[in-house]
Structures are given as structure tokens and as C-alpha cells.
Amino acid sequence: MRLFPPIIDNEKCPLTINNTLLQSCYLRYTEWACGVAIYTGNETKSGMSRGTAEPKLTAADSMIDKLTVAIFIFQIAVVLLLGLAGNIWKDSHGCKLWYLMYPAERPWYDFLVIPLRFELLCSIMIPISIKVTLDLAKGVYAKFIDCDDQMFDPETNTPAHSANTAISEDLGQVEYILSDKTGTLTENRMIFRRCYISGVLYGDKTGDALKDARLLNAVSSKDPDVVKFLMVMALCNTVVPIKSNDGTISYKAQSQDEEALVNAASNLNMLLTSKDSSGIAEICFNGSKFYYEVLDVLEFTSDRKRMSIVVKEVKSGKFLLLTKGADEAIFPRSCPGEQTKTYLEAVEMYSHLGLRTLCLGCRDLEEDEYKEWSKKFQDASCSLDNREHKIAEVCNSLEQGIHILGITAIEDRLQDGVPETIKLLRKAGINVWMLTGDKQTTAIQIGLLCNLITPESKGQLLSINGKTEDDILQSLERALTIMKTALERKDLAFVLDGWALEIILKRSLESFTKLAMMSRTAICCRMTPLQKAQLVGILKSSGSLTLAIGDGGNDVRMIQEANVGVGISGREGLQAARAADYSIGKFKFLRRLILVHGRYSYNRTAFISQYSFYKSLLICFIQILFSFSSGLSGTSIFNSISLMAYNVFYTSLPVMTIIFDKDISEATVLRYPQILLYSQAGRLLNRSTFAEWFGRSLYHAFVVFLITINAYADEKSDMEELSMVALSGCIWLQAFVVTLDTNSFTCPQITLIWGNFVAFYMINLILSAVPTLQMHTVMWHLCNQPSYWITMALIVAAGMGPVLALRYLRNVYRPSAIDVLQQIEQTDGHAQAPGNLESSTGTYLDYLLTDLRRNKSSIHQPLLSDSASSR
């Protein structure tokens, strides 16, 4: 091999610093800095956090940023090292070569010339095109979600929708799902089932109080306790009755509970017929009409957990306070001497049945008492300072001495597919938490029904509660101790309420965080919207990647706080869906959103990002290797047209074929959800996988350069031919690299890979026909030489042979779970393997899938923590 001396060519190798060189360096660095800033900033509208001005950064984006910084440091080191070596060679050898015409006296900045040349050569190490490529790919991922017919809900005519196109790969790395209950896990179709009035349980035998003969007889006989109970059901709400042209009455309600109670009252002859603008409500009971003037509404809040209204009976002028709410909000405010024990027993019984309970009560008011209170209420409502707190205090002062009328029990059934979906997600290694405002007993029953928690025979539910703050902290430490010692033997979960959480966040946040990171399941009841968001924040702050899903306005805070927000277009409106990154019609569609779309998106992003670095490093390493054959002068082996077209035309389209790639079928993914742990742990995009791509680019650069130099470095070849042969070798290798890493071939993929390959030759044949270009006739001359095609064959054989051999050996002797599943699919064509293969691979596959979970230690190592990048 002979050395190529430095070439005096202002285009390829300027020997003196001039304005063009400085401007070129400046533009190159500006382009790099802007590209990195744009990529890191994730500035597109789709990438912005919901409700904030801060951009969202996915786990994959974070890893790519770290790799970019590492490559930049490597680039600076290479530039400095080669620049120093180039100056040494110039002083020791170059100045003695007469044909280089170095001046005797050189300017003081002459030592910067060679390092700046190498900076220009190495500036392509960081691929600016990665931003555009990934944004385009992520846009396609979002369209796949929007167009998924299997995520279309025909009942509500609701398709899946992706409002954020920047975080699809995060779906494949979710570690915690925090879900609302009502309307998310359940249908949010409230049905009045049972009630307890004056010591009588109605509906306990038939399962439907509306068909209980005892209750119907009590209504017919106008039992005063039953009548007053039904009157509160019909009046204590914000429901608006709507009368149609045919005389039928329907109800418009913000709360499904209120609609269920009003409908139940109307079925029991207590019919709310109208509410006019003056506040007069008309009630018809057994043919008689009664009129009430609604004076004030004490609205429900998550802190008060009750709502009340003050009404005046028009006929008698009597003032009444009507109240309904949670038992813990009503019973402490009952009148002295009220026997609440039987009511508490009824509440517990209904809660064990998974029913939602409300306590109804009333109180007679004196006119003077009301007028005095009304003035305070108006003053509080008009206050500009701490208005909500003042209103709550005034309301609380009136809601005292309440006479308990009874308990209502409302059924809210689970959505179809919820138990199966939760079971699948937990099998995939995702921790599922339920955050609800319901009573603890009700939440536990729903948790059992939907496979969220395991029955006592196989699991244990740790309760964090107490009468005092110290009791709560002791139960927390006890739960943490049990979790550490018994986690491997039992499926453990913990349950706590809003009050306990408030104490814990103030006094023992660190212990609770440890417990949260160890627990795969939790039930958090009586939660306010703020507390839901706080729980999400705790998990995020520990480095875990969270997904929050809900359907109502009270879930918006939680959805916006999570890494990924999913809203259900439910019966409570579109607030959650509009605030979320993704919206779906039913909870069961979450399995496809995460296991199918999330996993595929992560796999594709991992390949696209690392391949983008690979192709840039490949061309850069060839430039560096050529510098050793040209006196370390910083001469470029490629002309400016080839370098420009390399990223724009020659290599941009083949990588986009990966957006259609599926390593295993959707059916296989859903049958073996444990495979999600590969993407969840970041095993396809980390420092180790990038090191493999880095090594591959370096090896391929050696192959292309050495074969090209030995085949064409003689007196009959010029620089343009040498450049085109090396560039052709890169294009051939990259076509085979993309083909080798593609798992499923479709017509668009084949067209993009090999159509782009053909386009490379067509473009260069056209450019070779232009007389004014330096590469005139070069490609025509090469294509007519058998040696050129032999050289390409040698490059492909030497470059891809070892890669294929290593992959074959790995698949035979150390196959991964994905490799085994691919073998099953190739043998049978489906996720279900034939008997002979199942017997030979089934045990090993089970071992691999089990090993995935075992390697995910019980003391969970978060994905987004500093240590996660090493995985």
C-alpha cells in the first residue's frame, strides 16, 4: 500500500486559514449545536407536556442524549489527537517535501489548520438527520394507534387517538400504571340496588330494592321515614329535569350517582318534575304535588365528601337542610344520641358486596338561624382572600346535628375485559395501582374482582391505617418489614386512605417511597385529585416511568403529572381525554396500547437511533483511516456532493423501513406479555447495545477502506474512483445491515431498501454524465469493470460474514426469548407451536421468560434512574 501525500486542493484540503474555512467551521458547529438543542428540546407541539410549557423527554430520548454527549467527547478527543499528530508529521516530514510548498515563514495560527480540517471531517459523527428521522417515525407510530381498528369502541363510536406523537416508545417502557376506578375500571353506569331505611334492609333478598315488595308497600302506605328518604334522593342534587314533547321526563346530571338516585326515586313514585330559573322545584308523589324553593347549594368537594342544599317548603314555609355524602363525612355530624352503629354495619355489608354507598340525612332549620347563616355564606362566597376555605368553614357550621335517614347502595359494574387486561399487564411486569375516592372496603372488593389483588390464600393485603398519627407510621414500618421478608413467597399489596397518606407524606416520605418501589400493587382509597397527583409524583421522583389513566375531571391532575397520560372518553365527559397524551374508549384497549404499539415503537426507535449513529460513524471512520494514508493532513476521501447526498438521499429511506417491522407477531406478544420486560428494562437501547453498533461501524470502516485501498490504490486509479468505490461499499453494507435486522418484510420495506440501492447507482450515473463535475465518467467507468463488482462482493462478504456467523452461533447456543418465539412462529406460523417444537423449546422458553422477571429484582431498579442506563 502506498501513501497518498497531502493534496493541495482548496476544496478538500485548505492549507491556510481563510474566511471560507472559518465560515465552514462555524456553520458546522452551529448546525451540530442546533441539531442537538432541537433534539434534546423536543420542541414540537406534540412533544410538550400537557398543561405546562416544559417539553417532555422520553426514556429513549434521554439515552440518545447521553450517547450524543459521549460521541461529542470522542469527536473532540479524535480531533485533538489527530490534529497534534498531523502537526508533528508536517514539521518532521511534510516540510521536507518540496511539492507540498509549505512556506518558510508561517503565521502564528498555522497550528490550528490541521485540527480544524479534522473537525470538518469528524463533524458528521453526530447525525443531524436523527432528529428528522425520529420525528417522522414517531408521527407514523401515532398514526398506527389512530388507525387501529381493534382499539375502536363501537359502543361509544370512539377510536383511539394519539394527541402526543413524541412519546410512543415510553408506552413500551411503562413500569407503573395508576388507574382511577369509577368510569375507568368500571362502566360508570350507576344502578340503584339496595337501601337501608329505619332498620330495614331493602333489596337484600331480591338484589334489587326497586322490586322489593316491602319497599313498594312502604311507598304505597306513605311511610314517613321512607317518604322523607325518597324526598332527599329526589331533591338533594344538581340534576336538571327535561320534559319532552310527549310528556316523559329525563334527567341531565353531572354525576352518575345523582342520576341513579333521582331515577330510583322516580321509580318509587317520588318524581322530580321540574326546576325553574327562580329555584322552585316541583315533586310529584303518589299523585300529589309538592313545591320546594332551593335557597342555597353547598357543593360537593373532594375535601368535604358531601353536598347539601337548603330548601324552603313553599306550602308550610318550613326550612330544611338536606344532605348526602360519604359515611365518614355524615356520621360525625349526626345529632347527639343518634344510633349510627346499625348504619355503619349496613355500610360495611354493602361495601363488601362492592357497592358504592351514600348516607342521606336532613335537619330542620329555624328561619332566623338560616338568615344569619345565609349572610355568612354570602360574605364567604364574595371573599377575595382564601374564599374556598371560608366557604367550607361556613358550610361545616350548618351541617351539624343531622338526622340520619338511611343508606343507599349503588352498583357500578366492571367493564368487559378489565380482569383479563390487568392480569396480562401484571404478567408483563407492570405494577398496577388503583387510586379511588371510594370507601376502602368497596375498593378492595373491586380489586379482587378485577385481578388487581390476589386472594388471601396466595397473597396478602397490608393495611396502613390507625387512629393516631403514630399508629399510622407504625403500620407503615410494619408493612415495609413484611414486604422485605415475604415478597418472594407471596403476592403482597398494601392499602391506605387519604388521611393516612397525608400523615405519611408529612412525616415518613422516605419509608413510603421504599414501600412503593417494592409493591407491585396498591389500593389507595378516599383520594383527592391532589393526592392522586402526589402519588404519581412520588413514583416519578424515584425514577420510575409512570402511566396514569382516568376518565373524569378529577383525574386530570394525575394524568398531567404522569410520564404518559391516558384518558378514557367516558360518561363523565372529555376532560381527561383532552388532557391526556392518548385517549381510548375502554380500559381493555390499554393492553394493545402498551404491549403492541408501545413495544413496537420502542424497538423501532432503538434501531433507528443506533443505526443513524452507525452510518455516520462508518463514513467518518473511513475518513480517519484515509488520513493515515495522506500524511495526517485532514484530506477528505469523499467529494462534497457525495457527503451531502450520503445522509439526504443514500441512507435516509432504508432506515424508515423499520417503522413497519415486527420482530414477533401481535398474537405472540399478547400470549407472552413477559416479553415486554426487554423494552421495559431498556435492553435494546443502552450503552452495551450502542457499543456493539460502534464496534460494527469501526469494523465495517476497516473492511471498506482496506479492500478499497488494496484494490484501487495504484497509478491507474484517481481519487474520484477511490472515493466512489469506498462510498459504494458503504451503501452495499448498509443495505445488507438493514435487511439483516428486518424481521418481517412487506412490499414498502423491500421497495425502500433495494429501490434506494438502485437509486444510488442511477443518481451517480446521471452525475457522471455531467462534464463540469469532478466525478465525470467515474461511475460509468467503474460499472464497466468486473473488478468493481468483485470488490463489492468482497466488501459484503467480509463485512457481513462475521456478523451472520455471530448471530447464528448466538441463536443456536444462547438464544433469547425473542429468538425462541421467532423460531416457534417460523415453524408453525402462529404463536402456538407444534407439539414437537413445544416439547423441545417450551421448557427453555418458560425458563427465559421466568428469568426476565427474576432479573428484575424485588428491590426494583427504576428505568429513569442514573443506574438504569447501564442496563
Coordinates of all heavy atoms in Angstrom, one line a residue, residues 54-98:
E54 N -43.2 23.0 29.7 CA -41.9 22.3 29.7 C -42.1 21.1 28.7 O -43.1 20.4 28.7 CB -41.6 21.7 31.1 CG -41.4 22.8 32.1 CD -41.1 22.3 33.4 OE1 -41.0 21.0 33.6 OE2 -40.8 23.0 34.4
P55 N -41.0 20.9 27.9 CA -41.1 19.8 26.9 C -40.9 18.4 27.7 O -40.3 18.4 28.7 CB -39.9 20.0 26.0 CG -38.9 20.9 26.8 CD -39.8 21.7 27.7
K56 N -41.5 17.4 27.1 CA -41.3 16.1 27.7 C -40.1 15.4 27.0 O -39.9 15.5 25.9 CB -42.6 15.2 27.4 CG -43.8 15.8 28.0 CD -45.0 14.9 28.0 CE -44.8 13.8 29.0 NZ -45.9 12.8 29.0
L57 N -39.4 14.6 27.9 CA -38.2 13.9 27.4 C -38.5 12.4 27.7 O -38.6 12.1 28.9 CB -37.0 14.4 28.1 CG -35.6 13.9 27.5 CD1 -35.4 14.4 26.1 CD2 -34.5 14.4 28.4
T58 N -38.5 11.6 26.7 CA -38.8 10.2 26.9 C -37.5 9.5 27.4 O -36.4 10.1 27.4 CB -39.2 9.5 25.6 OG1 -38.2 9.5 24.7 CG2 -40.4 10.2 25.0
A59 N -37.7 8.3 27.9 CA -36.5 7.5 28.4 C -35.5 7.2 27.2 O -34.3 7.3 27.4 CB -37.0 6.2 29.0
A60 N -36.1 6.9 26.0 CA -35.2 6.7 24.9 C -34.5 8.0 24.5 O -33.3 8.0 24.2 CB -36.0 6.2 23.7
D61 N -35.2 9.2 24.5 CA -34.6 10.4 24.2 C -33.4 10.7 25.2 O -32.4 11.2 24.8 CB -35.6 11.6 24.3 CG -36.6 11.5 23.2 OD1 -36.3 10.9 22.2 OD2 -37.7 12.1 23.4
S62 N -33.7 10.4 26.5 CA -32.6 10.6 27.5 C -31.4 9.8 27.2 O -30.3 10.3 27.3 CB -33.2 10.3 28.9 OG -32.2 10.5 29.9
M63 N -31.6 8.6 26.8 CA -30.4 7.7 26.5 C -29.7 8.2 25.2 O -28.5 8.3 25.2 CB -30.9 6.3 26.3 CG -29.8 5.3 25.8 SD -28.3 5.3 26.9 CE -29.1 4.7 28.4
I64 N -30.5 8.7 24.2 CA -29.9 9.2 23.0 C -29.1 10.4 23.3 O -28.0 10.7 22.7 CB -30.9 9.5 21.9 CG1 -31.6 8.2 21.5 CG2 -30.4 10.2 20.7 CD1 -32.8 8.4 20.6
D65 N -29.5 11.3 24.2 CA -28.8 12.5 24.6 C -27.5 12.1 25.2 O -26.4 12.7 25.0 CB -29.6 13.3 25.6 CG -30.7 14.1 24.9 OD1 -30.7 14.1 23.6 OD2 -31.6 14.6 25.6
K66 N -27.5 11.1 26.1 CA -26.2 10.6 26.7 C -25.3 10.1 25.7 O -24.1 10.4 25.8 CB -26.5 9.6 27.8 CG -27.3 10.1 29.0 CD -27.7 8.9 29.9 CE -28.5 9.4 31.1 NZ -28.9 8.3 32.0
L67 N -25.8 9.3 24.7 CA -24.9 8.8 23.7 C -24.4 9.9 22.8 O -23.2 9.9 22.4 CB -25.7 7.8 22.8 CG -26.2 6.6 23.6 CD1 -27.0 5.7 22.6 CD2 -25.1 5.8 24.1
T68 N -25.2 10.9 22.6 CA -24.7 12.1 21.8 C -23.6 12.8 22.5 O -22.6 13.2 21.8 CB -25.9 13.1 21.5 OG1 -26.9 12.4 20.9 CG2 -25.5 14.2 20.7
V69 N -23.7 13.0 23.8 CA -22.6 13.7 24.5 C -21.4 12.8 24.5 O -20.3 13.4 24.3 CB -23.1 13.9 26.0 CG1 -21.9 14.4 26.8 CG2 -24.2 14.9 26.0
A70 N -21.5 11.5 24.6 CA -20.4 10.6 24.6 C -19.6 10.7 23.2 O -18.4 10.8 23.2 CB -20.8 9.2 24.9
I71 N -20.4 10.7 22.2 CA -19.8 10.8 20.8 C -19.2 12.1 20.6 O -18.1 12.2 20.0 CB -20.9 10.6 19.7 CG1 -21.4 9.1 19.8 CG2 -20.4 10.9 18.4 CD1 -20.3 8.1 19.4
F72 N -19.8 13.2 21.2 CA -19.1 14.5 21.0 C -17.8 14.6 21.7 O -16.8 15.1 21.2 CB -20.1 15.6 21.6 CG -19.5 17.0 21.6 CD1 -19.3 17.7 20.4 CD2 -19.1 17.6 22.8 CE1 -18.7 18.9 20.4 CE2 -18.6 18.8 22.8 CZ -18.4 19.5 21.6
I73 N -17.7 14.0 22.9 CA -16.4 13.9 23.7 C -15.4 13.1 22.9 O -14.2 13.5 22.7 CB -16.7 13.4 25.1 CG1 -17.5 14.3 25.9 CG2 -15.3 13.1 25.8 CD1 -17.9 13.7 27.2
F74 N -15.9 12.0 22.3 CA -15.0 11.2 21.5 C -14.5 11.9 20.3 O -13.3 11.9 19.9 CB -15.7 9.9 21.1 CG -15.0 9.0 20.1 CD1 -13.9 8.3 20.5 CD2 -15.3 9.0 18.8 CE1 -13.2 7.5 19.6 CE2 -14.6 8.2 17.8 CZ -13.6 7.4 18.3
Q75 N -15.4 12.7 19.7 CA -15.1 13.5 18.5 C -14.0 14.5 18.8 O -13.0 14.7 18.1 CB -16.3 14.2 18.0 CG -16.1 15.2 16.9 CD -17.4 16.0 16.5 OE1 -18.4 15.4 16.6 NE2 -17.2 17.2 16.1
I76 N -14.2 15.2 19.9 CA -13.2 16.2 20.3 C -11.8 15.6 20.6 O -10.8 16.1 20.2 CB -13.6 17.0 21.6 CG1 -14.9 17.8 21.3 CG2 -12.6 17.9 22.1 CD1 -14.8 18.8 20.2
A77 N -11.8 14.4 21.2 CA -10.6 13.7 21.5 C -9.9 13.3 20.2 O -8.7 13.4 20.1 CB -10.9 12.5 22.4
V78 N -10.7 12.8 19.2 CA -10.1 12.4 18.0 C -9.5 13.6 17.2 O -8.4 13.5 16.7 CB -11.2 11.7 17.1 CG1 -10.7 11.5 15.7 CG2 -11.5 10.3 17.7
V79 N -10.2 14.7 17.2 CA -9.8 15.9 16.6 C -8.5 16.4 17.2 O -7.5 16.7 16.4 CB -10.8 17.0 16.6 CG1 -10.3 18.4 16.2 CG2 -12.0 16.6 15.8
L80 N -8.4 16.5 18.5 CA -7.2 16.9 19.2 C -6.0 16.0 18.9 O -4.9 16.4 18.6 CB -7.4 17.1 20.7 CG -8.4 18.2 21.1 CD1 -8.6 18.2 22.6 CD2 -7.9 19.6 20.6
L81 N -6.3 14.7 19.0 CA -5.2 13.7 18.8 C -4.6 13.7 17.4 O -3.4 13.8 17.2 CB -5.7 12.3 19.2 CG -4.7 11.2 19.1 CD1 -3.5 11.4 20.2 CD2 -5.3 9.8 19.5
L82 N -5.6 13.7 16.4 CA -5.1 13.6 15.0 C -4.5 15.0 14.6 O -3.6 15.1 13.8 CB -6.3 13.3 14.1 CG -6.8 11.8 14.3 CD1 -7.9 11.6 13.3 CD2 -5.7 10.8 14.0
G83 N -5.1 16.1 15.2 CA -4.5 17.4 14.9 C -3.1 17.5 15.4 O -2.2 18.0 14.7
L84 N -2.8 17.0 16.6 CA -1.5 17.0 17.1 C -0.6 16.2 16.3 O 0.6 16.6 15.9 CB -1.5 16.6 18.6 CG -0.1 16.5 19.3 CD1 0.5 17.8 19.3 CD2 -0.3 15.8 20.7
A85 N -1.0 15.0 15.9 CA -0.2 14.0 15.1 C 0.0 14.6 13.7 O 1.1 14.5 13.2 CB -0.9 12.7 15.0
G86 N -1.0 15.3 13.2 CA -0.8 15.9 11.9 C 0.2 17.1 11.9 O 1.1 17.2 10.9
N87 N 0.2 17.9 12.9 CA 1.2 18.9 13.0 C 2.6 18.4 13.2 O 3.6 18.9 12.6 CB 0.9 19.9 14.2 CG -0.2 20.8 13.9 OD1 -0.2 21.4 12.8 ND2 -1.1 21.1 14.8
I88 N 2.8 17.3 14.0 CA 4.1 16.6 14.2 C 4.6 16.1 12.8 O 5.7 16.3 12.5 CB 4.0 15.5 15.2 CG1 3.7 16.2 16.6 CG2 5.2 14.7 15.3 CD1 3.4 15.1 17.7
W89 N 3.7 15.4 12.1 CA 4.1 14.9 10.8 C 4.5 16.0 9.8 O 5.5 15.8 9.1 CB 3.0 14.0 10.2 CG 3.4 13.3 9.0 CD1 3.8 12.0 8.9 CD2 3.3 13.8 7.6 NE1 4.1 11.7 7.6 CE2 3.8 12.7 6.8 CE3 3.0 15.0 7.0 CZ2 3.9 12.9 5.4 CZ3 3.1 15.1 5.7 CH2 3.5 14.1 4.9
K90 N 3.8 17.1 9.8 CA 4.1 18.2 8.9 C 5.5 18.8 9.3 O 6.2 19.0 8.4 CB 3.0 19.3 9.1 CG 3.2 20.4 8.1 CD 2.1 21.4 8.2 CE 2.1 22.2 9.6 NZ 1.2 23.3 9.6
D91 N 5.7 18.9 10.6 CA 7.0 19.5 10.9 C 8.2 18.6 10.7 O 9.3 19.0 10.3 CB 7.0 19.9 12.4 CG 6.0 21.1 12.7 OD1 5.7 21.8 11.7 OD2 5.5 21.2 13.8
S92 N 7.9 17.3 10.9 CA 9.0 16.3 10.7 C 9.2 15.8 9.3 O 10.3 15.5 8.9 CB 8.8 15.1 11.7 OG 7.6 14.4 11.4
H93 N 8.1 15.7 8.5 CA 8.2 15.1 7.2 C 7.7 16.1 6.1 O 8.3 16.2 5.0 CB 7.5 13.8 7.1 CG 8.0 12.7 8.0 ND1 7.7 12.6 9.3 CD2 8.9 11.7 7.7 CE1 8.3 11.6 9.8 NE2 9.1 11.0 8.9
G94 N 6.5 16.7 6.4 CA 5.9 17.5 5.3 C 6.7 18.6 4.8 O 6.7 18.9 3.6
C95 N 7.3 19.3 5.7 CA 8.1 20.5 5.3 C 9.3 20.1 4.4 O 9.9 21.0 3.7 CB 8.6 21.3 6.5 SG 7.2 22.0 7.5
K96 N 9.7 18.9 4.5 CA 10.9 18.4 3.7 C 10.4 18.0 2.2 O 11.3 17.8 1.4 CB 11.5 17.2 4.3 CG 12.1 17.6 5.7 CD 12.6 16.3 6.4 CE 13.1 16.6 7.8 NZ 13.7 15.4 8.5
L97 N 9.1 17.9 2.0 CA 8.6 17.5 0.7 C 8.4 18.8 -0.1 O 7.5 19.6 0.2 CB 7.3 16.7 0.8 CG 7.4 15.4 1.7 CD1 6.1 14.7 1.8 CD2 8.5 14.4 1.0
W98 N 9.2 18.9 -1.2 CA 9.1 20.2 -2.0 C 7.8 20.5 -2.6 O 7.3 21.6 -2.8 CB 10.2 20.2 -3.0 CG 10.0 19.0 -4.0 CD1 10.5 17.8 -3.9 CD2 9.3 19.1 -5.2 NE1 10.2 17.0 -5.0 CE2 9.4 17.8 -5.8 CE3 8.5 20.1 -5.9 CZ2 8.7 17.5 -7.0 CZ3 7.9 19.8 -7.1 CH2 8.0 18.5 -7.6

